Amino acid sequence: MKTRSILFALALSIGLFAASCNSNDENKGDTITPITGKWSIVKVGTNVNGIETLVDPPQNTSGCDHDYLNLKIDNTLTSGDYDSAVSPCALTTVSGTYSRPDSKLTTVINGVTTTYDIVNLTLTDLKLRQGNAISVYIR
């Protein structure tokens, strides 16, 4: 009987401890999924009146790698654009910085600041929205 009482007290203590370790609002909006990495754009589109329409990105030149956004751990970024106007699949890159306040991504490229809502972020998928415009990237 004494063993049951000790086991009951132990189980009750563990239960109360676990209940007291819930998350708080201080970490609200944080995620364990990192945004750093090289993201290739695979779809673009719009969301009008709740209806999402996505298509293959016209900026991706046929036969070339996908245009990309490389977000580095030091909050710098490189944006890559493949274009065949001058030579096949020529890569042009621009550099900038980014920040990720809450569920947004803010980029600064050539002095132009752009803020996107992060609609979805997983280890392999990133969906950004700016107004009605949507961009979908994969890692």
Side-chain angles (χ1 to χ4, degrees):
M1 187 71 166
K2 189 174 184 179
T3 305
R4 280 190 186 171
S5 294
I6 292 172
L7 289 175
F8 177 74
L10 182 62
L12 182 61
S13 296
I14 291 172
L16 290 173
F17 176 75
S20 69
C21 293
N22 64 356
S23 63
N24 58 27
D25 288 340
E26 187 176 307
N27 294 328
K28 192 172 184 174
D30 289 349
T31 180
I32 60 172
T33 305
I35 198 164
T36 56
K38 186 175 179 182
W39 298 94
S40 298
I41 191 162
V42 293
K43 295 286 182 186
V44 294
T46 59
N47 186 333
V48 179
N49 298 324
I51 298 172
E52 193 172 281
T53 305
L54 297 173
V55 297
D56 291 331
Q59 64 264 43
N60 284 345
T61 302
S62 181
C64 301
D65 288 337
H66 292 152
D67 292 355
Y68 66 87
L69 187 60
N70 190 3
L71 304 173
K72 300 173 188 167
I73 198 160
D74 64 355
N75 288 74
T76 60
L77 69 83
T78 305
S79 177
D81 176 30
Y82 291 94
D83 190 358
S84 293
V86 176
S87 64
C89 298
L91 175 62
T92 302
T93 60
V94 293
S95 297
T97 60
Y98 76 94
S99 62
R100 184 182 168 198
D102 296 323
S103 59
K104 299 195 180 296
L105 173 68
T106 300
T107 63
V108 180
I109 300 173
N110 293 330
V112 178
T113 301
T114 308
T115 299
Y116 305 90
D117 293 316
I118 299 173
V119 177
N120 186 40
L121 174 60
T122 67
L123 291 175
T124 58
D125 300 301
L126 172 64
K127 183 187 279 189
L128 302 175
R129 180 180 64 227
Q130 183 190 29
N132 289 334
I134 297 173
S135 302
V136 178
Y137 297 82
I138 60 170
R139 244 194 266 248

